[in-house]
Amino acid sequence: TKKPDMIFDLTGHLNSCRELINGKSDREELADLNIMAGKKAVKSTAFSTALSYFETARSCLFEEEWSEIPDKLFSLSLEQTSAAILSGDFHKADSLCGYLSGIANSTMEKCSVSGMKASLLILQGKLVEAISELSRALLLLDIVLPESAEEVEARAQEGIVRLRAFLEKNRVEELVNLPVMSNTEKVIAMQLLYQANPPAIQVNPRLFSLITLTMFELTVTYGATPFSCKCFSDCGGLVGSVLSDYKTAYKLGEASLALIGKFKAEFQKPPVYFMLPFLSFWVKPYQESIDYYDLSYKSGLENGDLMHAAYAAAHKVHLLMWVGKNLTVCKNEAESAIAFIKRVKGAPPLLLAEIVRYSIRKLQTAPERDDESDFEAEDKEMLENIKKTHNIVFLCRFLQYNTLINFILGNIEEAEKWNKMAEETVFSVQNDFSLPDHYLFKALIMIYKWNNASPAERKEIKKNLVGIKERIKCWAEICPENFAHKYYLLSAEIAVIEKRPLDTIVDLFENAIKSINGNDFMHLGALCRELYGNFWIKKGNETIGKAYIKEAYYLYKQWGAYGKTALMDEASQKTASTRIVSNPVSTTVTNYIDMISIFKSTQAISSEIKIERLLTILINILIENAGAQRGCILLRNERDGHFYIEAVQDTAGCRRVIQTVPLAESDEFCHEIVQYAIRTGNPIVIRDACSDSTWQTNAYVNKNRIRSVLCMPVYYQNRLKGIVYLENNLSDNVFTSARLETIKILASQAAISIENARLYETMEEKIRERTRQLNAANERLVKLSLHDSLTNLYNRRYFYNIACKKVSSYLKHYNISQKDCIGVFLIDIDHFKEVNDTYGHSAGDNVLITISKVLKQLIGKDDILVRWGGEELLIVMNYQTADYYREFSEKITKIIENTPLRVSDNKIIYKTCSLGYTEVPLDPSNPELLNLDQIVNICDYALYYAKENGRNCAAHFKLNRQIGMDADLKKYLIGLSRSAGLNKEYFTIEFN
C-alpha cells in the first residue's frame, strides 16, 4: 500500500482472498484498499476499473458503513473533473463527465454533472450544446427554457413588464437587503441559470434576457444568493438596452457590487466586473470600463475563473479599438490576450481577439498594387468561421469592424454592404460600446448617398437621419465625454445636406472636434477633420480645407492607420499632378519656370491658415522666387477701403510681421509706384528706376538708389485685395518675364490663401466671442439653477448636488477625537400664512427676504443657508462646538423676534420662528451612520416638537447613547417622522 503504482496488483490479490478474512477490521481494511484503488483509477480515467473496485468495497461493508462513501466518491470525481478543466485537459474532463453521469443518483448530483459538462462545452466554444445541457438539468428543477424564438420573446417581454413594475415600486439600493435564499433547489437553479447566461448572450441574446429575468424573479421571490450578484448587473444591461434607463442600469451594477460585499462572494467578482463596463460607459467616461476589465482579469486569475479572465482580456482590446487608441498599442494588447487565451484554451474570447487583430491588420496594410493582401478572401473565410460558432454577438462585431474600416478607407459602397449585414444582428449588441458608432456610420453612409438620391429616397433618408440623430443625442446628453463628438459630427453633416447657414455648420464641426480630448477617439477626430476639410474644399476654400485634411492625416498617422495615410498620400500626388497639367503657363516662358518649385511654394502658402504666419511665409517665398532683395505686402481693409502695410522683409534678410501701418505713413516703399498700381490695376516692372525717365527724379528712388522694381496687384474674384512690392538694388532687369509669370502664379494662390485666412480669423473670433457668451450664460444658468430666485439663497439643488457631498467628505475623514462638528438648523417662520392672507403675497415675499438677510449676517462665509421650501430655511454651519450651536439657536430666535418686518409703507410687524437642530455626526462612534439628507429629516422631527412646545423656541435632537452598527435603530432614525413617538430610551429633545 505504500507503493501506489502497485496498488492494482495488490488489491487484486486481496480481492481473491476476501473470503478468508472474517474480522471487522479486516473487512474495513479490504474496503479501504479497494476504495483507494478506485480513486486512483478515477484519476487515471480508468472508470470501468474504478466501478469494479467500488463494488468490491461495497460488498465488504454493511449498508450503514457504506452510506456515506458514494457521496465522498462523487465529490472526489467532481473535483477531479474541475481540476482537469482548469488544467486544460479537456479529454480527461470529458471522460470524467461521462463517468459522473453514470454514478449520479440524486437530482442535485445530476445538476452538478450538467454544470460541469456545460463549463467544459463553453471553454470548447460549443455554446449551443452548453445551453442544451443546462436546459435539461433545469427541467429536473421544474424550470423550462423554451426552444422556440417566439415563446422566448413572449416570456421575455412579460418579464420586462414585471421588472419595470418592480423598479417603479422599489429602490434599487434596497436590493442588497433582500433575505438570503434558503430553498436548496432554487439555489441550484440559480447556479445553472448563471452558467447559461454567458453562452446565451452570444448565441441567443433573447434567451439571455429571459434567463436574467428568471433569475431576478427567483431572487426577489425566494431571496438572494451569491449568484444574484451577476444577475443584478445583467438586469442592468436589460434596463439600459430595453428601457433606455441607463442611470438605473448603473445603479443595478452598484447593487451587484454591494451584494458581493454582503456575501463576501469573491468568486462573483470576475463575472460582475466583466459585466459592469456594459453599464458604465453609458454614464461614465470609458476609462472606468477599461478599469473594470482589468479588475475582471485580475480577480479571474485570483479566483481560478479563467473563462471570465479570458473574456475580459479580449473585450478590453475590443473597447480600446472603439475608443480610438493607437492601433499598434491595440495590436500588442490583442497579441498578449491571444497568447493568454490560448494557454487557458478559451475558444470564444479567442475569436473576438482574433477579429480585433485582423481588423488592425486591415487598417495598417498599405495598398501595394503589386502585392495586395487578399482581404476579400480572408473576410469571407473569417465570416464563415464565425457563423459556424453561432456567436451572433461576435458576428455583429466583425460586421461593424468592416463597416468602420471601409468607411475610413473611403470604400463607402463596401461600408454600406457591411453595415446592412450588421443591421440584421445589431439587436445582439444593444449594450456594446460600438452601438452608437454603428448608427453613426449608418447615417454617414446615407448622407453620402444624398446627392444621387431621388426625392422619395431623400424623404426616407431624412426620416432615418432624424431618428438616429435623436438616439445619439440621448446618449451624448447622458455621457458627453463618450458620445458628444458623434452627435456633433452627425449634426454637422446633416446641416450640410440641409444647406444650413455657414455659421451653424462651422459651429457643429468645431464642437465635434473640441468634444474629443487628448488621445481619445483619434480615429473619429481624424474623420471629423477629414469631412470638415472636404466641406471647405467643396465650398471653394481650399486653404482651410487642406489645413483640416492635413490635421486629419496627422491624426490618422498618430492612430496608426498606415493604410489610410498611404491612400491620402496617393490622392495628394494625383491632385498635384492634375493641377500642374491643368494650369499651364505661357509657352514662351515655360522652359524658364521651375514648376516643381512653384508647386512646393503654393503648397506652403495654401497649408497655412493663420494670417500672421501666412504673411511671413508668403513674403519670403515671393522674394526667393522673384530674386528680390526686399519687399512688402499691402492689404486692403474692407471696412475703410484703405491699404495697410502688413508684412516686410528687409535688406538684411530678416523676416518680420509688423503691426498694421497705413500706406501713407510708411517709408518702406515708393508710394507713387504703389499708388499707380492701385489706380491702374496693372503690374509694374521697372528695369532700372535710377535711369528710367519716369522715375529717376522720384525722391524715394534717388534716396535709396533703387534699381529693379516689381509692383503686382493681387486680385480675388475680380476685387483688388492687396499689393506685392519687390525691390532689387544690386542690378537692373532682375524681374524678367519668367519671374513675372512666377509671381503671378504665386500671387493668385496668395489671394485665395489670404482671403481664407481672414475668413478663418473672423470665424475664430466669432467662435471665441460665442464661447465667451456661452460661458457667461452657462455661469449665469448655473448660478440661477443653484439659487432661489426670490431670496437669492441656495436652493435644494445646491443642497443635494454640493452641500451633501461636502458633508459626506467631512464624515469620511471624521476623527472621534474632534471637538468640532457640523450644525444643521431647520427654521420655520411661525404663522407665516397669516402674513400672506392679511397683507398679500408681496408682503410675505418681503418678510422672507428680510429674514434671509438677517440670517445671512449671522453665519460665516463658509456656512450654507438654503431656502428649504415655503417659509422654511436651512442652515448648515461648519466646525463649531455643540455649546456654540445651542447659543446660536437661542440667538436666532431672539434676533428674528426683534426684527421689524415692513409689510406696507406704513405698517411694520414682528414674527417669531421655531427651529429644530442637531449635530453631525449624530453618533461620533459611527460618523457615516446617516447622510445629510437624513439628518435634515431628524431636524424636521425636532422642529415639529418645537412647534408643539409653543413655538418661538429651538428643539435640539440628541442621542442618549451611541448607536454604532445597530441596524434596527438606524432604520428607525431614517424613517423618523412627525407621527412617530419619541423613544426616550435612545434619544431626547431639549428645548432652548
Side-chain angles (χ1 to χ4, degrees):
T1 60
K2 293 181 181 178
K3 296 181 179 179
D5 292 340
M6 297 176 63
I7 196 158
F8 290 155
D9 297 333
L10 175 61
T11 55
H13 289 299
L14 286 169
N15 287 338
S16 66
C17 299
R18 178 165 57 87
E19 294 179 0
L20 301 176
I21 301 173
N22 297 315
K24 180 180 178 183
S25 60
D26 295 330
R27 285 189 297 102
E28 290 178 344
E29 182 179 356
L30 184 57
D32 289 343
L33 287 170
N34 276 280
I35 290 169
M36 190 185 305
K39 289 179 179 179
K40 182 171 178 61
V42 168
K43 292 180 181 179
S44 304
T45 66
F47 300 114
S48 58
T49 304
L51 286 170
S52 175
Y53 283 124
F54 292 144
E55 284 301 317
T56 303
R58 182 172 186 174
S59 67
C60 295
L61 299 174
F62 298 117
E63 280 301 318
E64 62 270 15
E65 295 171 331
W66 173 255
S67 59
E68 294 183 4
I69 299 298
D71 291 341
K72 294 179 180 177
L73 294 175
F74 184 85
S75 299
L76 169 71
S77 302
L78 210 59
E79 290 172 7
Q80 291 294 318
T81 309
S82 178
I85 291 173
L86 288 174
S87 66
D89 191 347
F90 294 163
H91 176 74
K92 180 178 179 180
D94 189 54
S95 299
L96 280 163
C97 284
Y99 164 69
L100 281 167
S101 298
I103 65 171
N105 291 316
S106 68
T107 299
M108 297 302 108
E109 287 179 349
K110 290 176 182 177
C111 289
S112 297
V113 175
S114 289
M116 199 62 70
K117 282 184 180 178
S119 296
L120 177 60
L121 290 167
I122 290 169
L123 283 172
Q124 291 175 310
K126 300 174 181 178
L127 305 183
V128 175
E129 294 89 335
I131 294 171
S132 298
E133 180 65 38
L134 292 166
S135 296
R136 287 191 292 272
L138 286 164
L139 278 174
L140 299 173
L141 302 171
D142 297 324
I143 293 177
V144 180
L145 295 182
E147 294 183 1
S148 73
E150 294 77 11
E151 191 176 353
V152 169
E153 180 71 21
R155 284 182 52 186
Q157 289 298 327
E158 293 169 2
I160 287 289
V161 171
R162 290 193 293 272
L163 173 64
R164 175 185 283 177
F166 179 88
L167 293 174
E168 287 174 353
K169 295 178 182 178
N170 300 274
R171 296 176 69 243
V172 173
E173 294 83 356
E174 293 300 319
L175 287 173
V176 73
N177 297 322
L178 287 170
V180 176
M181 186 181 290
S182 57
N183 186 311
T184 306
E185 285 198 358
K186 302 303 180 187
V187 172
I188 295 296
M190 287 288 289
Q191 181 176 354
L192 295 174
L193 290 165
Y194 162 78
Q195 274 190 277
N197 248 355
I201 198 172
Q202 297 173 73
V203 300
N204 193 344
R206 293 184 175 91
L207 181 61
F208 162 81
S209 301
L210 177 58
I211 291 171
T212 297
L213 293 164
T214 303
M215 292 181 72
F216 187 80
E217 290 185 11
L218 285 172
T219 297
V220 298
T221 305
Y222 296 98
T225 77
F227 300 108
S228 303
C229 303
K230 175 70 162 37
C231 168
F232 288 167
S233 57
D234 287 342
C235 279
L238 292 179
V239 170
S241 62
V242 179
L243 305 180
S244 298
D245 186 354
Y246 300 104
K247 292 182 180 179
T248 299
Y250 189 78
K251 286 183 180 179
L252 281 163
E254 292 178 319
S256 67
L257 290 175
L259 201 61
I260 288 176
K262 175 181 177 178
F263 282 109
K264 296 182 172 55
E266 292 294 312
F267 79 99
Q268 280 289 290
K269 284 185 176 179
V272 169
Y273 283 143
F274 173 74
M275 186 60 197
L276 288 178
F278 298 98
L279 314 180
S280 170
F281 59 68
W282 297 113
V283 295
K284 300 286 183 180
Y286 72 82
Q287 183 58 48
E288 182 175 286
S289 297
I290 291 176
D291 293 341
Y292 276 132
Y293 281 137
D294 287 337
L295 287 170
S296 179
Y297 176 80
K298 181 182 177 184
S299 59
L301 295 180
E302 292 171 351
N303 289 278
D305 188 347
L306 300 182
M307 181 181 73
H308 279 103
Y311 273 108
H315 279 76
K316 178 184 176 183
V317 178
H318 172 61
L319 180 57
L320 290 174
M321 274 290 289
W322 285 103
V323 300
K325 293 302 180 184
N326 177 269
L327 291 176
T328 303
V329 172
C330 292
K331 181 174 73 174
N332 294 336
E333 286 273 355
E335 288 174 348
S336 297
I338 288 169
F340 168 72
I341 297 168
K342 283 182 176 178
R343 287 199 303 273
V344 301
K345 300 184 179 179
L350 179 63
L351 178 58
L352 176 60
E354 287 176 338
I355 289 171
V356 175
R357 182 172 63 175
Y358 173 66
S359 301
I360 294 170
R361 182 159 65 86
K362 290 179 75 172
L363 284 165
Q364 292 197 318
T365 300
E368 297 288 343
R369 296 303 174 197
D370 298 332
D371 185 29
E372 189 171 358
S373 176
D374 187 10
F375 284 120
E376 184 177 351
E378 289 189 66
D379 283 340
K380 187 176 181 181
E381 181 183 358
M382 181 160 277
L383 194 59
E384 290 302 316
N385 290 336
I386 297 170
K387 286 180 177 179
K388 287 176 184 177
T389 67
H390 305 288
N391 195 318
I392 300 174
V393 172
F394 290 0
L395 173 62
C396 186
R397 288 173 177 169
F398 176 69
L399 301 173
Q400 289 174 334
Y401 274 117
N402 275 318
T403 302
L404 164 72
I405 293 164
N406 280 285
F407 194 93
I408 292 291
L409 297 179
N411 306 323
I412 310 301
E413 287 78 11
E414 277 292 298
E416 182 182 14
K417 179 191 80 174
W418 290 105
N419 185 258
K420 283 182 177 178
M421 293 168 65
E423 187 71 14
E424 296 174 4
T425 57
V426 75
F427 68 88
S428 65
V429 293
Q430 290 300 299
N431 278 318
D432 208 88
F433 194 86
S434 60
L435 184 67
D437 294 78
H438 169 85
Y439 288 110
L440 172 66
F441 285 111
K442 180 181 178 180
L444 294 177
I445 290 166
M446 287 190 283
I447 290 169
Y448 175 82
K449 297 168 64 178
W450 178 265
N451 287 335
N452 297 322
S454 66
E457 289 172 334
R458 285 190 174 188
K459 185 177 180 181
E460 185 64 23
I461 289 173
K462 189 72 178 293
K463 178 182 175 183
N464 290 329
L465 289 176
V466 169
I468 293 173
K469 180 181 172 182
E470 284 303 309
R471 195 167 190 178
I472 296 178
K473 181 183 179 183
C474 172
W475 292 325
E477 288 174 345
I478 297 171
C479 188
E481 297 90 343
N482 291 343
F483 307 116
H485 58 279
K486 305 181 203 300
Y487 170 71
Y488 285 123
L489 173 58
L490 178 56
S491 298
E493 288 289 286
I494 292 174
V496 171
I497 64 172
E498 290 179 344
K499 298 181 180 179
R500 302 283 293 279
L502 181 62
D503 284 354
T504 300
I505 296 170
V506 167
D507 285 347
L508 289 169
F509 270 117
E510 291 294 333
N511 283 333
I513 293 169
K514 290 175 183 176
S515 298
I516 298 174
N517 298 318
N519 292 326
D520 296 343
F521 306 102
M522 278 191 285
H523 61 314
L524 293 181
L527 181 61
C528 285
R529 288 165 173 82
E530 184 180 10
L531 294 175
Y532 193 25
N534 289 335
F535 163 75
W536 279 115
I537 289 171
K538 289 176 184 176
K539 291 283 289 183
N541 294 301
E542 288 198 3
T543 301
I544 298 178
K546 287 178 181 178
Y548 279 106
I549 296 291
K550 188 176 181 180
E551 286 185 26
Y553 178 91
Y554 169 75
L555 276 176
Y556 280 129
K557 192 171 184 180
Q558 189 179 359
W559 183 36
Y562 307 128
K564 175 66 175 179
T565 54
L567 287 171
M568 294 178 78
D569 285 334
E570 185 180 335
S572 177
Q573 291 170 7
K574 285 182 180 178
T575 303
S577 301
T578 303
R579 284 182 178 168
I580 291 173
V581 171
S582 61
N583 291 282
V585 295
S586 172
T587 55
T588 59
V589 296
T590 301
N591 294 334
Y592 300 97
I593 298 177
D594 185 353
M595 293 305 296
I596 294 177
S597 175
I598 290 176
F599 175 65
K600 289 181 179 179
S601 298
T602 56
Q603 273 196 320
I605 294 169
S606 64
S607 65
E608 191 56 60
I609 57 174
K610 293 287 186 181
I611 189 70
E612 298 86 354
R613 176 71 180 154
L614 170 62
L615 291 171
T616 302
I617 292 171
L618 181 58
I619 189 66
N620 182 48
I621 287 174
L622 290 171
I623 286 175
E624 286 182 357
N625 281 273
Q629 276 187 300
R630 63 185 304 275
C632 62
I633 297 174
L634 297 95
L635 298 180
R636 185 175 183 272
N637 187 294
E638 296 295 334
R639 287 190 294 271
D640 60 19
H642 296 156
F643 282 82
Y644 294 81
I645 185 166
E646 300 284 357
V648 171
Q649 181 167 319
D650 60 25
T651 53
C654 177
R655 294 184 302 277
R656 61 191 176 95
V657 176
I658 64 173
Q659 291 183 345
T660 296
V661 176
L663 183 154
E665 298 177 12
S666 174
D667 58 357
E668 299 282 355
F669 51 84
C670 178
H671 284 246
E672 289 77 8
I673 294 176
V674 171
Q675 290 289 0
Y676 182 82
I678 293 172
R679 186 172 63 256
T680 64
N682 296 319
I684 299 172
V685 179
I686 303 173
R687 295 168 61 92
D688 186 353
C690 288
S691 60
D692 189 288
S693 58
T694 304
W695 303 104
Q696 64 184 353
T697 58
N698 182 275
Y700 177 85
V701 170
N702 281 325
K703 179 181 177 182
N704 296 286
R705 305 302 301 161
I706 305 301
R707 304 287 299 276
S708 299
V709 178
L710 188 153
C711 189
M712 170 81 70
V714 178
Y715 283 89
Y716 178 77
Q717 294 182 348
N718 296 321
R719 289 179 296 167
L720 181 61
K721 290 292 184 179
I723 297 289
V724 173
Y725 178 88
L726 303 172
E727 293 178 357
N728 188 311
N729 299 332
L730 296 178
S731 60
D732 59 3
N733 199 28
V734 170
F735 304 117
T736 62
S737 297
R739 283 177 170 165
L740 180 61
E741 291 297 326
T742 300
I743 298 303
K744 283 182 179 179
I745 294 170
L746 294 176
S748 176
Q749 179 60 55
I752 298 171
S753 297
I754 290 169
E755 185 68 16
N756 287 330
R758 281 184 159 173
L759 175 63
Y760 183 78
E761 186 177 48
T762 304
M763 180 179 67
E764 278 197 321
E765 181 54 40
K766 284 183 179 179
I767 291 171
R768 282 193 294 269
E769 180 59 30
R770 286 190 177 184
T771 302
R772 283 193 294 269
Q773 293 172 355
L774 184 61
N775 289 338
N778 284 337
E779 288 176 7
R780 289 195 298 272
L781 285 173
V782 168
K783 184 176 180 181
L784 288 171
S785 71
L786 298 177
H787 287 77
D788 174 57
S789 58
L790 175 65
T791 61
N792 201 33
L793 301 180
Y794 291 123
N795 58 19
R796 285 201 182 203
R797 186 178 288 109
Y798 179 90
F799 173 82
Y800 287 114
N801 291 352
I802 298 174
C804 284
K805 291 178 182 178
K806 286 183 178 179
V807 172
S808 177
S809 176
Y810 163 79
L811 292 175
K812 282 182 181 178
H813 301 92
Y814 179 81
N815 189 320
I816 198 169
S817 62
Q818 290 178 223
K819 292 182 180 179
D820 294 344
C821 56
I822 290 175
V824 182
F825 302 80
L826 188 59
I827 304 161
D828 184 89
I829 303 171
D830 293 332
H831 304 297
F832 180 77
K833 187 174 182 296
E834 293 177 358
V835 178
N836 286 331
D837 292 345
T838 306
Y839 304 103
H841 288 280
S842 177
D845 291 347
N846 289 334
V847 168
L848 280 172
I849 293 169
T850 303
I851 291 177
S852 298
K853 290 178 179 178
V854 168
L855 291 176
K856 207 163 189 177
Q857 292 173 352
L858 293 177
I859 63 175
K861 64 177 183 178
D862 295 326
D863 298 330
I864 298 169
L865 177 57
V866 178
R867 185 181 179 189
W868 193 244
E871 68 273 22
E872 287 188 338
L873 304 166
L874 177 73
I875 296 175
V876 180
M877 185 169 279
N878 295 317
Y879 319 131
Q880 301 291 344
T881 64
D883 289 340
Y884 178 88
Y885 293 139
R886 179 177 54 77
E887 294 171 1
F888 180 72
S889 68
E890 294 174 355
K891 183 189 290 186
I892 289 175
T893 55
K894 289 178 181 177
I895 288 178
I896 289 181
E897 184 181 13
N898 295 303
T899 297
L901 304 168
R902 183 173 295 279
V903 293
S904 66
D905 292 340
N906 55 3
K907 181 68 175 179
I908 291 176
I909 63 171
Y910 292 86
K911 300 298 292 182
T912 60
C913 74
S914 304
L915 67 88
Y917 77 98
T918 190
E919 294 85 21
V920 179
L922 189 65
D923 180 1
S925 68
N926 185 7
E928 295 186 77
L929 173 71
L930 300 177
N931 58 36
L932 182 57
D933 189 24
Q934 292 160 346
I935 288 292
V936 172
N937 190 48
I938 284 178
C939 291
D940 182 67
Y941 181 73
L943 173 61
Y944 168 73
Y945 272 89
K947 292 181 177 181
E948 288 291 304
N949 196 51
R951 304 181 189 265
N952 193 22
C953 66
H956 178 208
F957 186 97
K958 184 178 181 182
L959 287 178
N960 292 337
R961 69 172 181 83
Q962 293 179 348
I963 291 177
M965 302 303 291
D966 191 325
D968 291 336
L969 274 178
K970 177 182 177 180
K971 188 175 180 181
Y972 180 82
L973 283 174
I974 292 173
L976 204 58
S977 66
R978 296 183 178 188
S979 61
L982 181 64
N983 192 330
K984 295 184 178 180
E985 180 183 352
Y986 302 113
F987 42 84
T988 57
I989 291 182
E990 300 173 347
F991 297 100
N992 299 332

